């Protein structure tokens, strides 16, 4: 028997909000829509959950990576001989050892002819933190000791940190010998949107607002470090890799390709994953390194990265410089948008160029802007690799566009709320296709906007402003799934099995790393199959058993994975009903499921238990209907009805779109520049919500990433490309004290029509509007328009002082600071490097 | 190498360790309690927080030898470890009835009030920060049974969570505080 | 971390001997909160560690017969912060020491971190470093060659670090008796709640019989490698009771003294210069408030 803790008090009633009422029998009583507490919690709460660093295999060795301390250099040689003689060392490798043996990767996602990623630098170092060599030893300490005696011979090269510097053909060439679409150079991709006639819209506009905006690099900084344990069986040739990743099959396919071994000889097993936010949505060098070492030694190799390594060599949000303009009519109608984006992908990037495509396309929402003209130069710099991060380019676009809206409102003398209300998409009928190509199957964005504004007391605050306080709004719509321009798929798959005791196992390769898959999938299966929630379990993700799927990113879990799961469960239901109909000699139409049984409609306490039906299908197959294929498994794959990007940049990439409207109320301390968000309201349209508490948590977590991006998080480089804040000490990840109370949370569901259950993605909608809402509020409070992120106290105070000194009413930071060297006014703005001729390959 | 002993969750563990062994490493690698996590190794994230003789420390920033002979409580020591009660193995007994903690094979009382509150309030997503949060809050709430929300925020001011936005964690702490306060004894002898 | 040997002496004499015996590679470890960070980064590579954890004499505090407050160097922040709950309550402006100890780092770090460790680490952003200079504390040390007492302002080398000799141990931090000051206020600015200070400022005042300021010390930390006394600003305080306008102005005087405009060339420096003015002003105002409530109350 278990003991009662001495401190444990008598049980108290649960708070209303969290109370999942007892579920009455009968199929009318659905779990979808209820805040069912999560089944994954117990292991996590008691410490029994196993994350990557907790994996222990017999004979396991420990590997550590030597990383470059310089950002750009010619690598002449790496001498491992001393390291190999260190006590406890079992092996050491560097780039030269692998040349010609492992294949570079990166071509699949980027549409390159050859990959630009390799496990180690071979002849060139491209960024600080790049892999140079690795040692594997009996202990972590022995491996670290050995790294210290590796000799690296290199000659430093000029360093490129500023993305706009990459536009200069004379800038130091970073990736050499890679055949990009436009030849060699630091501009490795271009992107273009030509929708409507933006030039005509500009000519016809009553108001044109223009501004240069800069957005910051931000780390995912998932607390659970990136890492893996690779275990190669030299007799069977099977490589098993445990990895902290968001995508099993991305890792399996790219790893197998890189190592040139058959894909069914690579097994990817996922332990608990302590979050990713996009930063674990690809295969990394360490996964190749551990695999190669394990293959060499025939022993399991543990390779988990340290925090500094993750900051430097994990992926960070892409950086952007935007030269953005918006065209409006006097009545507030937004008629056009034009932008030139310099998109910084760091020294190498798998997903980086996709970010600008998708983030810009979807970032135009929630306004159906008829005329759009966008160019982007996608560049390399000697900085950390860029990748997806919560929002996938949308927060960056919203940061620029939603501030332009406020600037336009000021020029028009309109309330920013009214200007937005005038423009947000609110078609008379659905589905509605925007000029940019998005198909809106439902939305409540207009009501979201009004709701959040009201919650924060928008009108009163505007009418009676307090000194040093201000309010700001921003709206966005986030994709729920995504068909990437260079990855023409948007699928998830689920297999469900009714076990012989009436329990159900769900198999999926979309890794849960905080989203609560085990809970919300069980809610769906429980409802469809009428099986008790507690009987449904999610199998641990394993490429050997799970159906093929893309992974957990792009807010796709609820909608895409959830739909696959619903369809699989429905197929399974048909099968059990067929068996029951046969046994009961009833008409299948007269049967229903619920209460763990298949019963005659209206008589929930009769019928056959699922347990018995499963038993027939497995152990008493003569009871089955003639021709029924025994065992009870069903698999379903759902690929969304989305479109590829058209040559003009338009297209419907997402199956549905989640709305988000945020209102911020900030206070700025005029003495120290400290910015405090004192109140914040969020209204979201997540369609039919499967589990309200989980969705609320996703929005609050999304907000955390947004406020981090707005007020502190950034990659700070010196001019030699050294990252100055590669630790949680210096990197400004928000603590609990930096966040406001997030109680003003509103869900205004407009159920998706495309998704059978009506649900939409929740994972990223909380992030998109945050930087812009706070930026707009800061302007309202101080008259300082921040055009660069993050808005830190030091920048704020210096801006206030400079504004005071110059006696200005409104002021732009950093554009109006005396030491600002980039273009200040539109006549100085640069032009895109590409010509308008010819098609861009997508 | 040096031989040392720690009492971890009530069990004595003696081992010969490299002097460099951090308390975190002793707990995880020597004693095998992997619920205490390494999120940074630089004393900033709080994932590694444990109690030593009832005081909270970040175990990644303490040498095991510094606390030799003392008594350590980790997240595994918060609630007695359980095996699922037998009734969960037969399924028909639960047919149609949904009780969330039953689904997990647990009773309310099996969990520390903080664990129960975290579960109820959805105060964990990926759960990586959770053991540290629980330990820091346990230590804090035992000292300050009636905190304000702002005080709770400050108490976890050395713990990072990248998932939750902290709101539900503060909710859970407030709820647990209430459940951790000794229930006022009925005025029996009045 | 590089390999090292680990020693837990029971007494101060033994600790001094161990340090001497293990030579220049030997180092004291108190709470280890700073030292271990450096060792994990392989920036510090001691060959032997001598722990103060078991040296009971170095923990806790007491009032001497003359009323001075003596705090053992290995006293933790947690102990100081909870001073009101333990045996010897702190009085008057001495409570500001406990308040500072309770509002730095986070709870777990405060469990281990010691006042002496912070002083010997001599990081200018550490609050205790600024505070001991501001309050003109005396620091007692002991080494193989015997003991000495060093005034806080002389303990820190202006270019960084301390004047401690190899093998020397800081044992005691001694603060003036109550009548040494009438009001003390510590102010700091940090980005996140427990980040190290970007600027810290302390104003310590003594009122004369007439209620006017007789003595004042204004100290600014975190800006230079060691805390800096702003003597011109302090002099401006003597002889009067500053108005709100004065505090702002004296803050600016301190800023000019500590970080003149011509030295504030980077944006961080310019920001620090602004903060010096603000924080010194706030410290002055608050120390006055305290001085007057204390005198009114006594
Ligand atoms: C996460 C974190 C947050 C922090 N935040 C703050 C903050 O907000 N404000 C702040 O002021 N500080 C802060 N600190 C720093 C903190 O003040 C110091 O780390 C700590 O107090 C140092 O004390 P210690 O006993 O741990 O020293 P140790 O790390 O043990 O020692 C530090 C150095 O001093 C030497 N030493 C220690 N004691 C003695 C002695 N008695 N005699 C001679 N030499 C000695 C050691 O050899 C070593 O070189 C923070 C630290 C951390 C890890
Ligand atoms: S691992 Fe100890 S604080 Fe992060
Ligand atoms: S729940 Fe993931 S870090 Fe807190």
């Amino acid at each position: 028997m278990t003991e009662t803790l001495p401190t444990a008090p008598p049980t108290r009633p649960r708070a209303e909000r969290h109370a999942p009422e007892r579920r009455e029998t009968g199929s009318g009583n659905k779990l979808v829509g209820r805040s069912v507490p999560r089944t994954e919690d117990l292991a996590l709460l008691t410490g029994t959950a196993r994350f990557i660093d907790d994996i222990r295999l017999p004979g396991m060795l420990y590997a550590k990576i030597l990383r470059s301390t310089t950002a750009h250099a010619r690598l002449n040689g790496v001498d491992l001989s001393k390291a190999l003689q260190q006590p406890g060392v079992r092996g050491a490798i560097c780039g030269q050892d692998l040349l010609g043996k492992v294949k570079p990767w990166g071509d699949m996602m980027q549409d390159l002819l050859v990959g630009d990623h390799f496990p180690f630098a071979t002849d060139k170092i491209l960024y600080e933190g790049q892999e140079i060599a690795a040692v594997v030893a009996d202990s972590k300490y022995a491996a670290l000791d050995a790294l210290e005696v590796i000799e690296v011979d290199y000659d430093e090269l000029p360093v490129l940190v500023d993305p706009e510097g990459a536009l200069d053909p004379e800038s130091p060439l970073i990736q050499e010998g890679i055949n990009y679409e436009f030849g060699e150079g630091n501009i490795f991709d271009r992107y273009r949107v030509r929708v409507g006639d933006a030039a005509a819209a500009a000519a016809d506009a009553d108001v044109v607002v223009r501004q240069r905006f800069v957005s910051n690099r931000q780390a995912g900084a998932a607390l659970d470090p990136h890492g893996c344990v690779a275990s190669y069986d030299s007799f069977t040739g099977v490589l098993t890799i445990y990895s902290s990743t968001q995508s099993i099959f991305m890792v399996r396919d790219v790893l197998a390709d890189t190592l040139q071994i058959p894909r069914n000889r690579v097994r990817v097993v996922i332990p608990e994953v302590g979050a990713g936010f996009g930063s674990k949505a690809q295969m990394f060098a360490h996964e190749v390194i551990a695999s190669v070492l394990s293959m060499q030694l025939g022993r399991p190799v543990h390779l988990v990265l340290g925090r500094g390594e993750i900051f430097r060599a994990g992926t960070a949000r892409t950086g952007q410089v935007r030269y953005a303009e918006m065209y409006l009519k006097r009545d507030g109608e937004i008629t056009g948008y034009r932008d030139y984006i310099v998109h910084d992908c760091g020294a190498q990037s798998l997903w980086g160029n996709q970010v600008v495509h998708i983030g810009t396309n979807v970032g135009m929402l929630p306004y159906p802007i008829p005329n759009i003209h966008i160019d982007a130069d996608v560049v390399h710099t000697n900085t950390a690799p860029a990748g997806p991060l919560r929002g996938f380019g949308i927060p960056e676009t919203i940061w620029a566009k939603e501030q332009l809206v406020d600037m336009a409102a000021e020029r028009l003398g309109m309330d920013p709320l009214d200007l937005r209300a005038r423009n947000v998409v609110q078609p008379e009928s659905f589905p509605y296709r925007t000029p940019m190509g998005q198909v809106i199957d439902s939305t409540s964005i207009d009501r979201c906007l009004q709701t959040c504004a009201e919650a924060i007391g928008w009108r009163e605050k505007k009418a009676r402003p307090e000194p040093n306080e201000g309010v700001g709004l921003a709206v966005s719509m986030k994709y729920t799934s995504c068909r990437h321009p260079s990855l023409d798929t948007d699928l998830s798959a689920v297999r469900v099995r009714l076990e012989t005791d009436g329990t159900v196992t769900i198999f999926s390769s979309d890794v849960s790393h905080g989203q609560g898959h085990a809970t919300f999938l069980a809610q769906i299966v429980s409802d469809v199959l009428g099986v008790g929630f507690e009987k449904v379990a999610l199998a641990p993700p394993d490429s050997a058993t799970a159906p093929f799927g893309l992974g957990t990113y792009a807010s796709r879990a609820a909608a895409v994975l959830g739909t696959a799961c619903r369809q699989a469960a429905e197929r399974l239901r048909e099968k059990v009903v067929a068996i029951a109909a046969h046994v009961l000699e009833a008409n299948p139409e007269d049967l229903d499921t619920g209460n763990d049984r298949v019963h005659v409609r209206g008589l929930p306490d009769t019928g056959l238990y699922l347990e018995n039906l499963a038993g027939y299908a497995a152990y008493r197959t003569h009871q089955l209907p003639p021709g029924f294929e025994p065992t009870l498994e069903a698999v379903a794959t759902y690929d969304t009805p989305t479109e590829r990007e058209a040559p003009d940049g338009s297209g419907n990439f997402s199956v549905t779109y989640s709305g988000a409207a945020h209102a911020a109320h900030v206070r700025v301390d005029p003495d120290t520049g400290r910015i405090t968000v004192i109140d914040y309201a969020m209204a979201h349209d997540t369609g039919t919500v499967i589990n309200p508490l989980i969705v609320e948590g996703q929005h609050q977590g999304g907000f955390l990433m947004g406020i981090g991006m707005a007020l502190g998080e950034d990659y700070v480089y010196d001019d030699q490309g050294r990252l100055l804040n590669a630790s949680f000490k210096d990197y400004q990840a928000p603590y609990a004290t930096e966040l406001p109370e997030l109680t003003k949370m509103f869900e205004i569901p407009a159920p998706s029509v495309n998704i059978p259950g009506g649900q939409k993605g929740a994972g990223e909608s909380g992030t998109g509007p945050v930087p812009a809402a706070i930026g707009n509020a800061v302007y309202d409070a101080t008259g300082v328009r921040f055009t660069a992120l993050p808005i830190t106290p030091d920048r704020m105070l210096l801006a206030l002082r400079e504004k005071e000194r110059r006696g200005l009413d409104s002021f732009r930071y950093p554009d109006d600071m005396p030491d600002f060297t980039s273009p200040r006014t539109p006549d100085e703005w640069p032009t895109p490097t590409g010509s308008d001729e010819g098609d861009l390959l997508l | 190498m040096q031989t040392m002993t720690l009492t971890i969750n009530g069990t004595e563990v003696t081992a010969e360790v490299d002097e460099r062994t951090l308390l975190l490493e002793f707990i995880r690698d020597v004693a095998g309690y992997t619920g205490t996590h390494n999120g940074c190794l630089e004393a900033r994230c709080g994932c590694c927080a444990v109690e030593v003789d009832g005081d909270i420390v970040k175990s990644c920033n303490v040498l095991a030898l510094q606390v030799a002979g003392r008594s350590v409580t980790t997240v595994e020591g918060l609630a007695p470890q359980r095996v699922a009660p037998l009734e969960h193995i037969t399924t028909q007994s639960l047919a149609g009835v949904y009780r969330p903690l039953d689904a997990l094979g647990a009773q309310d009382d099996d969990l520390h009030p903080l664990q129960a509150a975290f579960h109820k309030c959805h105060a964990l997503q990926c759960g990586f920060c959770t053991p540290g949060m629980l330990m820091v809050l346990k230590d804090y709430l035992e000292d300050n049974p009636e905190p304000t929300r702002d005080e709770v925020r400050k108490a976890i001011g050395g713990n990072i969570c990248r998932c939750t936005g902290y709101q539900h964690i503060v909710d859970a702490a407030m709820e647990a505080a209430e459940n951790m306060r000794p229930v006022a004894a009925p005025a029996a002898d009045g | 971390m590089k390999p090292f040997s680990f020693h837990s002496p029971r007494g101060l004499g033994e600790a001094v001997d161990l340090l001497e015996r293990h030579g220049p590679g030997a180092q004291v470890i108190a709470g280890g909160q700073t030292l271990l960070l450096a060792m994990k980064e392989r920036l510090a590579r001691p060959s032997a560690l001598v722990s103060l954890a078991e040296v009971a004499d170095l923990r806790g505090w007491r009032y001497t017969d003359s009323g001075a407050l003596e705090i053992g160097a290995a006293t933790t922040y947690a102990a100081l912060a909870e001073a009101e709950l333990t045996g010897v309550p702190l009085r008057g402006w001495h409570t500001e020491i406990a308040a500072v100890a309770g509002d730095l780092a986070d709870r777990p770090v405060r469990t281990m971190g010691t006042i002496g460790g912070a002083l010997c680490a001599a990081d200018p952003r550490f609050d205790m470093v600024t505070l001991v200079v501001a309050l003109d504390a005396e620091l007692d040390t002991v080494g193989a060659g015997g003991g000495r007492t060093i005034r806080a302002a002389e303990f820190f080398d202006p270019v960084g670090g301390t004047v401690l000799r190899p093998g020397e141990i800081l044992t005691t931090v001694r603060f003036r008796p109550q009548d040494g000051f009438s009001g003390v206020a510590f102010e700091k600015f940090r980005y996140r709640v427990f980040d190290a200070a970007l600027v810290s400022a302390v104003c310590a005042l003594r009122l004369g019989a007439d209620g006017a300021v007789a003595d004042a010390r204004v100290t600014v930390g975190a800006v230079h490698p060691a805390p800096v006394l702003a003597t011109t600003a302090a002099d401006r305080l003597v002889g009067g009771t500053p108005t709100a306008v004065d505090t702002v102005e004296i803050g600016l005087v301190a800023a000019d003294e500590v970080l003149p405009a011509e030295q504030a060339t980077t944006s961080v420096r310019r920001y620090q210069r602004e903060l010096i003015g603000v924080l010194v002003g706030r410290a002055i105002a608050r120390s006055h408030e305290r001085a007057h409530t204390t005198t009114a109350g006594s």
Side-chain angles (χ1 to χ4, degrees), chain A residues 6-20:
Chain A
T7 46
T11 317
R12 286 163 199 264
R14 287 163 188 281
E16 261 320 297
R17 182 154 74 100
H18 302 299

Side-chain angles (χ1 to χ4, degrees), chain C residues 52-218:
Chain C
L52 300 183
E54 306 294 326
V55 184
D57 302 354
L58 295 182
R59 290 180 177 251
W61 57 90
R62 65 181 196 114
Y63 278 103
T64 64
D65 294 344
S66 64
L69 172 65
E70 289 189 346
I71 302 179
T75 305
T76 64
Y77 292 132
L80 272 173
E82 283 163 15
E84 81 268 28
L85 304 175
T86 55
V88 187
L90 297 180
R91 300 184 223 127
W93 59 265
H94 289 153
T95 56
E96 185 74 347
I97 302 164
V100 171
D103 192 31
L104 59 80
D106 47 67
R107 268 176 84 79
V109 170
R110 293 198 294 267
T111 302
M112 295 299 293
T114 67
I115 178 169
L119 299 180
C120 295
D123 186 320
R125 293 163 306 172
F126 291 176
D127 303 336
M128 285 296 165
V129 171
T130 311
L131 194 67
V132 293
V133 172
L135 299 178
D136 196 23
E138 289 176 344
L139 310 181
D140 293 345
T141 69
V142 56
R148 55 181 178 146
T149 297
I150 310 168
R151 284 185 69 183
E154 274 119 47
F155 184 77
F156 301 106
D157 191 327
V159 298
T162 69
V163 299
L164 278 179
R165 300 177 189 131
E168 201 172 12
I169 298 177
L170 174 65
T171 56
T172 309
V173 185
R174 189 177 313 101
F175 293 95
R176 292 181 186 179
Q178 275 306 304
D179 57 8
F181 297 107
S182 319
V184 170
F186 175 94
E187 293 281 343
K188 65 176 166 180
F189 183 87
R190 46 198 168 166
Y191 287 125
R192 292 170 304 176
V193 61
F194 292 129
D195 279 344
L198 206 60
V199 173
S200 56
V202 187
C203 181
L205 304 170
R206 197 173 54 81
L207 303 185
D210 56 353
V213 175
D215 265 325
R217 287 172 74 85
V218 172

